[in-house]
């Protein structure tokens, strides 16, 4: 078959990566440089030229979506070829296939079952119960995370018998029991698929030789995301007659928190020598202005494999930089720009809003809903749909309405407080007998044991708290504190913990808008109504929706118009990374990923003040803004500094610098004013209470 259509559509570097057979290859594939196309065309080239049959090419990806895309595109390129015996898939699916083939040789029954995370959690909970571990003090997820981390590092339970602390000793015991349970019941979890396969190749020379000689060509996609165990697995398949191609981009390595080791990009040349390095630098996605910004930012990282993205695109659209007054103004700016883009002929799905932390989505969701802009939170839940938020909302619902049995059931044991199924059944039975709510019935039952004091504390929290606080934000802070929700989340020690804690703190910030209500009951009712209504249900199935997502979720995606938001020190880069140079470099790579998602227009924004953890904070622009090429920027509100002139609505008489008095906060000075109809707000610096934004309709400010 003619190979012209295989190689003629490739640029010189792509062609070299697709056809080179002399050495192993390290392909540095910059963002938007045609990485997938290169892998597809190399596969087709090997088949067409007779270098390999289908079963002699192993292609490893990180997602099923990527694997299916590769197989589909190869099929379109070679429509008349039979694809029997293809070995293209994720690390997990390839290892699953190998274990099925060799199950009996390594002591696995043919009918072994693969279990998911939920199945794992049920097993660990059973083990915890047998070991008499208190779920509140020692959540099952804590042990499960330890087990999976140890497996991903290649460690069995006998290697984890660390007696130096109660934590490691207990984790080791749980791991040993978990291994025994899985072995006895012929169960294999996801991490076990790779660990068992690695051990099989390491310990069985015949099987190792079989696949070293069968796989004449190995292609690894997203090589920068490999963890220790995956790198070991590939190393065991290495053979001098093979050609291994590692395709990746060290500048897009952003997953160290889940085990990815960017140093694998640097060690490949040594461990798989001889190696030829090929750089794919021509970008087919973004304008040159956007690429210049990305190149400038990433050059501040000290440890990287040098490359510079470029494009033939002639577009000269500058990057827009917006300095917002606060997070609400930032969200309003984004909505206004989306409407302008729609007016110019774009669709909603052409637009993506990116942020560092999940908690940032709340304000955008609120403003998008008000602006009737359909949206979707990609790869996650809307703010008020997140489990930790719904848990606290359940407490508030029960405080607002003690007849709410659904709220009682959700909140009674979240976090766990030792109130089990038997106790709940007694309460429900009593409620049925006396036609009472579950909360009232809980005081009518004869409950004994440790559940009794726990139930009493819960009852007091629900019935007494609302009378102790005059402001909704203080009430929510109290609920979070008294339930020990943050300590419970932190004890689980997984990569979602920080995001969940930030979401709870953002909930307090959201409640600040309701602190001006005269009645705590009125504030609570309004807030709960907002939580239900702020979910954009009418747009849920809209054909075209704005995409909201974290920067981590945006990896691998692209959009005509991107809003990169919240570029403030302590937010992005995240405050938890400041003390670690390696983590700062990963934050910079995350910024690079965000910038290179944009195809046509890129908007970058930051807020001068932001309500964080319930407090109004003055923010510093992110160091990443200072690292941008200034000639590529269009400042929409001044040069990194903006002194707003308050707009004064006829019904209000606030003047910049005016001294005013508030019934609760005392005297203060007007700093700013935002006109928004019934939602108009004034910013005041109070002598004893700091800077606050107040709703004009409720603030009742008087001039001094």
């Amino acid at each position: 078959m003619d190979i012209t259509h295989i190689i003629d559509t490739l640029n010189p570097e792509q062609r070299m990566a697709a056809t080179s057979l002399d050495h192993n290859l390290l392909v540095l594939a910059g963002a938007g440089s045609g990485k997938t196309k290169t892998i597809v065309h190399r596969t087709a080239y090997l088949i067409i030229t007779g270098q390999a049959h289908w079963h002699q090419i192993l292609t490893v990806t990180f997602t099923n979506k990527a694997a299916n895309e590769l197989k589909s595109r190869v099929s379109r390129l070679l429509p008349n070829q039979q694809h029997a015996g293809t070995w293209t898939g994720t690390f997990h699916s390839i290892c699953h296939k190998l274990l099925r083939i060799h199950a009996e040789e390594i002591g696995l029954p043919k009918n072994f079952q693969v279990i998911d995370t939920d199945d794992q959690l049920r097993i660990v909970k059973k083990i915890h119960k047998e070991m008499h571990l208190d779920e509140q003090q020692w959540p099952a997820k804590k042990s499960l995370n330890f087990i999976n981390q140890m497996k991903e590092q290649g460690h069995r339970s006998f290697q984890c018998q660390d007696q130096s602390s109660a934590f490691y000793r207990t984790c080791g015991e749980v791991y040993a029991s978990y291994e025994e349970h899985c072995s006895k019941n012929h169960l294999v979890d996801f991490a076990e698929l790779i660990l068992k396969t690695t051990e099989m190749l390491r310990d069985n020379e015949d099987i190792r030789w079989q696949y070293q000689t069968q796989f004449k060509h190995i292609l690894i996609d997203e090589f920068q995301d490999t963890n220790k165990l995956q790198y070991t697995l590939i190393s065991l398949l290495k053979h001098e007659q093979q050609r291994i191609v590692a395709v990746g981009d060290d500048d897009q390595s952003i997953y160290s928190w889940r085990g990815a080791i960017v140093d694998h990009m640097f060690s490949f040349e040594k461990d798989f020598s001889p190696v030829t390095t090929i750089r794919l630098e021509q970008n087919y996605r973004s304008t040159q202005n956007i690429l210049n910004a990305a190149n400038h930012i990433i050059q501040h990282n000290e440890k990287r494999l040098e490359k510079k993205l470029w494009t033939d695109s002639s577009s000269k659209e500058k990057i827009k930089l917006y300095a917002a007054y606060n997070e609400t103004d930032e969200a309003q700016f984004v909505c206004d720009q989306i409407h302008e883009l729609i007016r110019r002929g774009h669709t909603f799905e052409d637009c993506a809003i990116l942020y560092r932390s999940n908690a940032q989505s709340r304000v955008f969701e609120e403003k998008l809903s008000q602006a009737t802009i359909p949206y979707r939170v990609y790869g996650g839940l809307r703010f008020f749909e997140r489990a930790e938020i719904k848990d606290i909302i359940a407490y508030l619902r029960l405080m607002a309405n003690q007849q709410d049995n659904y709220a009682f059931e959700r909140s009674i044991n979240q976090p766990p407080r030792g109130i089990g199924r038997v106790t709940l059944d007694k309460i429900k039975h009593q409620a049925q007998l006396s036609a009472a709510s579950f909360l009232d019935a809980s005081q009518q039952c004869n409950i004994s044991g440790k559940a009794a004091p726990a139930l009493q504390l819960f009852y007091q929290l629900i019935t007494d708290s609302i009378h102790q606080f005059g402001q909704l934000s203080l009430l929510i802070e109290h609920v979070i504190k008294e339930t020990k929700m943050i300590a419970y989340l932190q004890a689980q020690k997984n990569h979602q913990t920080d995001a969940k804690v930030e979401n709870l703190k953002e909930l307090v910030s959201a409640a600040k808008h309701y602190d001006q209500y005269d009645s705590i009951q009125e504030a609570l009712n309004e807030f709960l109504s907002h939580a239900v209504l702020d979910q954009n249900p009418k747009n849920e199935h809209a054909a075209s929706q704005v995409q909201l997502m974290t920067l981590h979720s945006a990896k691998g995606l692209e959009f005509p118009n991107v809003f990169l938001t919240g570029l403030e020190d302590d937010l992005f880069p995240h405050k938890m990374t400041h003390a670690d140079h390696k983590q700062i470099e990963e934050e910079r790579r995350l910024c690079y990923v965000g910038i290179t998602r944009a195809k046509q227009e890129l908007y970058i924004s930051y807020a001068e003040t932001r309500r964080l953890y319930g407090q109004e904070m003055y923010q510093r622009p992110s160091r990443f803004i200072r690292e941008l090429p200034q000639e590529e920027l269009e400042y929409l509100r001044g040069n990194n500094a903006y002194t707003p002139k308050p707009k004064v609505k006829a019904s209000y008489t606030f003047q910049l610098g005016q001294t005013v008095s508030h019934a609760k906060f005392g005297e203060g000075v007007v700093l700013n004013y935002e006109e928004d109809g019934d939602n108009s707000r004034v910013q005041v610096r109070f002598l004893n209470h700091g800077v606050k934004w107040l709703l004009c309709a409720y603030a009742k400010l008087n001039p001094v």
Side-chain angles (χ1 to χ4, degrees), residues 386-387 390-391 394 405-414:
R386 293 167 192 162
K390 293 181 79 169
D391 289 338
N405 290 339
Y406 292 109
F408 178 92
E409 286 194 90
R410 180 165 190 126
S411 58
I412 186 63
N413 224 26
Q414 188 62 23

Side-chain angles (χ1 to χ4, degrees), residues 306-349:
E306 189 67 34
K307 66 180 177 304
K308 191 171 184 178
L309 299 178
W310 62 275
T311 182
D312 282 336
S313 170
S314 59
S315 174
K316 298 293 184 182
E317 191 71 39
K318 284 197 171 187
I319 297 166
K320 278 83 171 176
L321 178 63
Y322 184 72
Y325 305 145
N326 53 33
E327 72 276 12
T328 305
D329 180 35
E330 179 184 45
Q332 185 61 56
F333 163 76
V334 171
C335 290
D336 292 343
Q337 294 305 309
I338 290 173
H339 278 307
E340 174 61 20
L341 289 167
I342 297 301
R343 188 189 67 77
R344 284 160 44 192
H346 288 273
T347 63
F348 289 121
E349 65 185 349

Side-chain angles (χ1 to χ4, degrees), residues 452-472:
L455 193 58
Q456 193 58 36
L457 287 173
F458 174 80
Y459 182 81
Q460 290 173 351
L461 175 65
I462 298 300
T463 56
D464 296 347
S465 298
I466 198 169
H467 306 298
Q468 298 173 11
F469 299 95
Q471 291 183 307
L472 181 61

Side-chain angles (χ1 to χ4, degrees), residues 639-650:
N639 190 1
N640 283 351
Y642 181 81
T643 305
K645 296 179 181 178
K647 301 176 184 177
V648 181
K649 191 177 179 182

Side-chain angles (χ1 to χ4, degrees), residues 23-25 218 220 234 238 242-246 268 272:
H23 301 121
N24 293 329
L25 299 180
I218 298 178
I220 310 109
I234 295 298
K238 179 177 64 175
Q242 281 175 335
R243 291 296 174 260
I244 298 179
V245 180
F268 183 81
F272 293 83

